[in-house]
Amino acid sequence: MDLMKIDTTSRSLSLDPRDRAFFCNPYPIYRQLRESVPVFKWEEYGYWCFSRHEDVSALLRDRRFGRQILHVMTRDELGWSEIPERLKPFYDVEQHSLLETEPPVHTRLRGLVNRAFLSRTVERLKPRIAQLTHELIDGFAETREVELLEAFATPIPITIIAELLGVPVEEGPRLLSWSHDMVAMYQARRDAEVERKAVEATLAFSSFMRRHVQARRLSPGDDLLSQLIAAEAEGKSLSEDELITTAILLLNAGHEASVHAIGNGVKALIEEGQARSGLGEGHVEELLRFDAPLHLFTRYALEDVEFNGLKLKKGETVGLLLGAANRDPARFPEPDRFDPARTPNPHVSFGAGIHFCVGAPLARLELNVALPILFERLPGLKLARPPSHRDAYHFHGLERLDLVW
């Protein structure tokens, strides 16, 4: 059976995002789509998708589209059924998320957290990231083999974001478990069991954060949670529910993509013959373009819109294929070639517009500090076996990365 079916007349695509051949290596499919139907209706998702860099970049910035729709349309107008009672705890938290809101709410929330993630602010974390990187490598350097995701790629971002936010680092395993269960709601493999675990994780995570907010109220520290509590106390329009959701989002987003940026990055550097000391910022930017951890970002049409000849009704969802846009030859010459000297490198791995990833400076710093140390400390690093990818589209990452040296 063919992996996908393209109908160029109706501009439709039938492709199971859970097909292993696709989620392990989606780039050949993206190339076919860009060449035959760069704008297409993905039948399995039910909405129009865009694969060219020009379109994706423009739509990320187009204010006629947004992440939120219920501020301009009712569920009835959208033809949506009511949220089942069993899922309300999850969506009650999500509705306050910085990622799911539009101005003016988004502007207010982003303004409160943005200062903590400015490049000049996160730069002070550089010595801590380096120290942590060395400590982790010390833990496995003598073994001559390692599963890198668990031993290295995961602990770095979860430790740094926990310390930045002001929650106990030793709670990392629980935070990771809750985060994975919540994020699974946005993956192609969602089912009743995924939904049940997401709700349980949401309730547990919310309870955990409320306890720590209460503790920080009594004993403020030099951390982001204390800053958010102070903003709430000063009447800067941050409710406790928004505070809890913001903290959960930062913990979730602060590690989920970074773990896979590190894993995908190390895999690419080894496979592309770049596994050596002397890695620079050009390598990191090219890694982010070459094999991004997020491949699909959705938005709603906030009004009736015509975009490049496609008429969209208010409330329709559009899918932006970030992974495909990053390999568009119209923007990136020889896009399947890994080129750390590529300039400019306007990849869309962090999004663009008002929803540009607030944590991008931190993610870049972690990669720029950790990867050079890894390859300097462990020369001769190579794959022990072919890496396996997660069944988790539209996230793109590895299940395991087994290395030897």
Side-chain angles (χ1 to χ4, degrees), residues 371-384:
L371 295 186
I373 293 174
L374 177 70
F375 287 105
E376 286 163 12
R377 289 281 310 269
L378 304 175
L381 208 57
K382 59 186 178 183
L383 299 176

Side-chain angles (χ1 to χ4, degrees), residues 76-97:
D76 191 48
E77 287 173 323
L78 288 161
W80 293 0
S81 57
E82 289 300 314
I83 295 173
E85 284 295 323
R86 62 188 174 82
L87 296 182
K88 279 190 176 176
F90 176 83
Y91 288 106
D92 284 348
V93 167
E94 285 292 285
Q95 70 175 326
H96 300 297
S97 170

Side-chain angles (χ1 to χ4, degrees), residues 82-390:
E82 289 300 314
I83 295 173
E85 284 295 323
R86 62 188 174 82
L87 296 182
K88 279 190 176 176
F90 176 83
Y91 288 106
D92 284 348
V93 167
E94 285 292 285
Q95 70 175 326
H96 300 297
S97 170
L98 181 64
L99 190 60
E100 305 300 335
T101 55
E102 288 297 303
V105 175
H106 177 273
T107 309
R108 172 170 54 80
L109 292 176
R110 190 176 181 108
L112 291 170
V113 302
N114 207 39
R115 283 172 295 175
F117 291 96
L118 294 173
S119 296
R120 62 178 179 272
T121 309
V122 301
E123 189 67 23
R124 64 185 172 84
L125 297 172
K126 191 172 184 177
R128 173 61 181 133
I129 297 170
Q131 176 194 22
L132 177 60
T133 300
H134 281 292
E135 288 172 356
L136 292 169
I137 295 172
D138 288 342
F140 58 76
E142 297 303 315
T143 66
R144 312 294 293 182
E145 61 179 332
V146 70
E147 194 291 287
L148 200 77
L149 292 193
E150 183 178 359
F152 186 81
T154 298
I156 291 174
I158 192 64
T159 300
I160 296 302
I161 196 65
E163 290 178 351
L164 184 66
L165 198 56
V167 299
V169 173
E170 58 270 21
E171 296 282 5
R174 280 209 298 170
L175 301 178
L176 281 168
S177 177
W178 291 333
S179 176
H180 291 323
D181 287 344
M182 291 180 71
V183 169
M185 286 287 275
Y186 297 104
Q187 294 167 185
R189 60 184 175 85
R190 176 173 168 176
D191 56 24
E193 178 63 9
V194 165
E195 292 176 344
R196 183 190 66 77
K197 290 172 73 173
V199 169
E200 282 187 4
T202 302
L203 293 170
F205 213 152
S206 297
S207 177
F208 170 88
M209 286 310 313
R210 286 186 195 281
R211 288 197 304 274
H212 283 284
V213 166
Q214 189 58 36
R216 278 290 181 268
R217 288 192 200 283
L218 298 173
S219 179
D222 181 22
D223 52 61
L224 182 54
L225 197 56
S226 297
Q227 292 173 27
L228 293 173
I229 291 167
E232 179 199 28
E234 291 166 13
K236 292 184 179 175
S237 306
L238 182 73
S239 69
E240 177 155 304
D241 284 343
E242 288 174 334
L243 195 160
I244 298 301
T245 298
T246 299
I248 289 174
L249 171 69
L250 292 174
L251 280 164
N252 286 355
H255 83 272
E256 188 76 27
S258 295
V259 169
H260 297 297
I262 294 171
N264 294 354
V266 171
K267 170 182 175 289
L269 287 168
I270 292 173
E271 291 181 338
E272 299 299 318
Q274 300 280 333
R276 53 182 171 75
S277 58
L279 300 179
E281 290 184 10
H283 291 84
V284 168
E285 291 307 306
E286 182 68 342
L287 290 173
L288 290 166
R289 179 199 73 84
F290 191 75
D291 204 19
L294 178 64
H295 276 218
L296 173 65
F297 190 72
T298 57
R299 305 193 80 194
Y300 295 107
L302 301 178
E303 57 189 70
D304 290 345
V305 176
E306 183 170 332
F307 183 87
N308 282 4
L310 181 67
K311 292 182 178 178
L312 296 160
K313 293 188 181 302
K314 181 179 179 181
E316 277 196 75
T317 299
V318 293
L320 311 182
L321 293 179
L322 308 181
N326 282 344
R327 295 278 190 113
D328 186 347
R331 194 66 186 86
F332 304 98
E334 297 182 77
D336 297 326
R337 183 170 67 89
F338 185 89
D339 179 11
R342 191 181 296 277
T343 53
N345 192 346
H347 64 76
V348 289
S349 300
F350 290 122
I354 66 167
H355 284 287
F356 180 80
C357 176
V358 71
L362 178 57
R364 283 184 160 119
L365 183 66
E366 289 171 349
L367 290 164
N368 275 301
V369 172
L371 295 186
I373 293 174
L374 177 70
F375 287 105
E376 286 163 12
R377 289 281 310 269
L378 304 175
L381 208 57
K382 59 186 178 183
L383 299 176
R385 58 189 58 85
S388 57
H389 285 80
R390 300 159 69 227

